[in-house]
Amino acid sequence: MPAAVWNNLVPATDGIPDNPFLDHAFFLALEESGCATGRTGWQAQHVLLANDTGEPVGLLPLFLKSHSMGEYVFDHGWANALERAGGRYYPKLQGSVPFTPATAPKLLVPSGGLEARAALLSTAQQLTSRLDASSVHLTFIPEAEAALASSLDWLHRTDTQFHWHNRGYASFEEFLESLSSRKRKTIRRERRDALADGLTVRWLSGTDILEHHWDAFFAFYEDTGARKWGRPYLNRTFFSLLGQYMADRVVLMLAYDGDEPIAGAINFRGKDRLYGRNWGAVRDVPFLHFEVCYYQAIDYAISHKLAVVEAGAQGEHKLARGYEPVLTHSAHWIAHPGLRRAVADYLADERPAIEQQQELLEQFTPFRKGERQERS
């Protein structure tokens, strides 16, 4: 699909997509690098909706998948249940940004028309029969899209992430003053210890990011991937293409020992938020992960007046660092009646459990009593 057609359907400000992961350039880098293609189990089946005159009016990024890897909303149990019962779960259809657990709209209708968004959902359902797929899954979608899908008999699932919210802080120190004394002291100590041996952290974006920076970061990324799941999803070519296509949306944070980079994190900048994605290191330094991934991201957001830092999937340890629990949403349409009933029952129990978990996690945020309400 031409970039102009795609990006015209994506929420944007002054022609720049508000969410970097919805930019045609991001999908193009995934495809051209070979990271998200039919060979890796991500066969593009994007839905383009046109009006009576042939003008594009809606888009749903969609993939036909032969596995459930790289999604961050786990449905392996659903797949196993159907296959044990003699059914076939794969292929399935996945409405998502590959390898990216960041909330972004998937029913992309610039006019905001309810009918067009419903038509995208209906078309995805129809594709299950045409492509012999078991189901459709729209993951990391806004709550409004999940509500619309639920009204059309899709199943609604929730989960938890941790985001930092900028309440008008003028500096990192002002943010720290909003925390309890004990938490404030802990963060100061962690930041001091992380850089105690003279390490420094540099922010790189746009033309400042050169190929040797990508070489260094990829070594960090490979190390993390090898320790966590055996083989990273993204290859070296992907990062070069990011640098070629959308380096101005990338914020690379590298930790240096003198002139030698030893750790780093990649972030993406949106209209009003910073999205933390991948991290890695070739040297084990206490608290350096927290410094590069969480505290530097907060520093950057305050400096650039960004409203939110999304710190990626999972991680209750982020609570103590000022990141707050936030609900995420997904919608699921399952063709098999038996599996659909079983999943619906499961989700009916899971949603209130997630809500209770949210309430519990709220009690462990590090803010002084009443601080968040005062600044909201």
Side-chain angles (χ1 to χ4, degrees):
M1 188 183 304
V5 174
W6 180 290
N7 282 344
N8 281 341
L9 297 169
V10 170
T13 301
D14 297 328
I16 300 174
D18 295 339
N19 187 308
F21 303 121
L22 291 180
D23 196 318
H24 183 272
F26 191 81
F27 284 83
L28 186 63
L30 287 169
E31 182 177 337
E32 289 189 345
S33 65
C35 294
T37 66
R39 292 186 62 183
T40 60
W42 292 84
Q43 181 62 54
Q45 296 288 336
H46 308 313
V47 177
L48 183 64
L49 187 67
N51 61 19
D52 293 339
T53 65
E55 178 188 4
V57 295
L59 171 67
L60 168 59
L62 195 66
F63 295 87
L64 186 67
K65 293 206 63 194
S66 58
H67 55 73
S68 291
M69 295 183 289
E71 298 170 6
Y72 301 91
V73 176
F74 302 113
D75 62 349
H76 305 293
W78 305 354
N80 292 338
L82 184 58
E83 288 166 6
R84 283 198 306 268
R88 185 166 58 88
Y89 194 74
Y90 304 106
K92 66 174 186 175
L93 287 163
Q94 186 75 24
S96 68
V97 180
F99 322 120
T100 307
T103 294
K106 304 301 186 302
L107 305 176
L108 303 173
V109 179
S111 69
L114 182 63
E115 184 177 345
R117 287 185 289 148
L120 288 172
L121 291 170
S122 176
T123 301
Q125 290 177 222
Q126 294 170 32
L127 280 174
T128 59
S129 297
R130 191 182 310 169
L131 300 174
D132 197 23
S134 70
S135 50
V136 191
H137 309 266
L138 306 186
T139 50
F140 296 101
I141 59 177
E143 184 176 5
E145 290 189 356
L148 172 62
S150 294
S151 72
L152 298 173
D153 294 328
W154 289 52
L155 305 179
H156 181 196
R157 190 175 194 182
T158 57
D159 204 346
T160 301
Q161 281 189 347
F162 298 90
H163 299 173
W164 179 84
H165 299 275
N166 188 352
R167 295 182 169 87
Y169 304 116
S171 66
F172 194 93
E173 277 301 310
E174 185 175 333
F175 156 64
L176 286 183
E177 289 301 320
S178 70
L179 309 183
S180 68
S181 175
R182 183 170 62 87
K183 294 299 185 181
R184 188 163 58 243
K185 291 177 181 178
T186 297
I187 290 175
R188 285 183 176 138
R189 176 178 56 81
E190 290 181 349
R191 300 203 75 179
R192 182 178 63 248
D193 291 353
L195 304 178
D197 293 331
L199 302 183
T200 59
V201 178
R202 305 176 194 173
W203 300 342
L204 300 171
S205 190
T207 56
D208 290 336
I209 305 177
L210 305 176
E211 284 300 309
H212 68 85
H213 297 124
W214 287 126
D215 288 337
F217 176 74
F218 188 67
F220 309 148
Y221 170 70
E222 276 195 307
D223 180 76
T224 298
R227 285 187 284 108
K228 282 191 173 181
W229 55 79
R231 188 182 70 177
Y233 295 126
L234 304 171
N235 59 31
R236 176 63 181 82
T237 301
F238 170 75
F239 293 103
S240 285
L241 291 174
L242 279 184
Q244 179 181 343
Y245 295 154
M246 53 185 303
D248 57 333
R249 311 300 300 276
V250 173
V251 181
L252 199 59
M253 296 179 175
L254 298 181
Y256 283 83
D257 184 355
D259 292 329
E260 178 191 1
I262 63 168
I266 187 171
N267 304 264
F268 293 81
R269 181 169 173 172
K271 177 184 177 182
D272 64 349
R273 62 190 59 208
L274 189 71
Y275 300 88
R277 285 299 301 112
N278 306 106
W279 138 272
V282 292
R283 186 190 305 176
D284 186 17
V285 177
F287 307 117
L288 189 59
H289 176 214
F290 299 154
E291 173 64 25
V292 175
C293 292
Y294 307 140
Y295 302 143
Q296 289 289 328
I298 291 173
D299 258 337
Y300 184 93
I302 292 172
S303 297
H304 292 82
K305 302 187 186 307
L306 299 179
V308 178
V309 177
E310 293 195 18
Q314 305 170 338
E316 293 182 3
H317 60 279
K318 298 168 187 172
L319 273 174
R321 276 112 205 144
Y323 290 73
E324 303 170 49
V326 174
L327 277 179
T328 60
H329 303 269
S330 58
H332 309 265
W333 190 86
I334 298 173
H336 189 283
L339 180 63
R340 177 183 174 82
R341 285 194 298 272
V343 170
D345 290 343
Y346 170 77
L347 295 181
D349 292 334
E350 185 186 50
R351 283 191 300 274
I354 294 293
E355 290 178 6
Q356 292 174 9
Q357 179 191 53
Q358 289 276 121
E359 294 174 1
L360 177 63
L361 291 172
E362 289 279 356
Q363 300 176 24
F364 290 94
T365 58
F367 296 92
R368 289 188 283 119
K369 186 175 182 181
E371 178 67 25
R372 287 183 301 161
Q373 289 81 359
E374 290 171 11
R375 285 184 173 266
S376 295

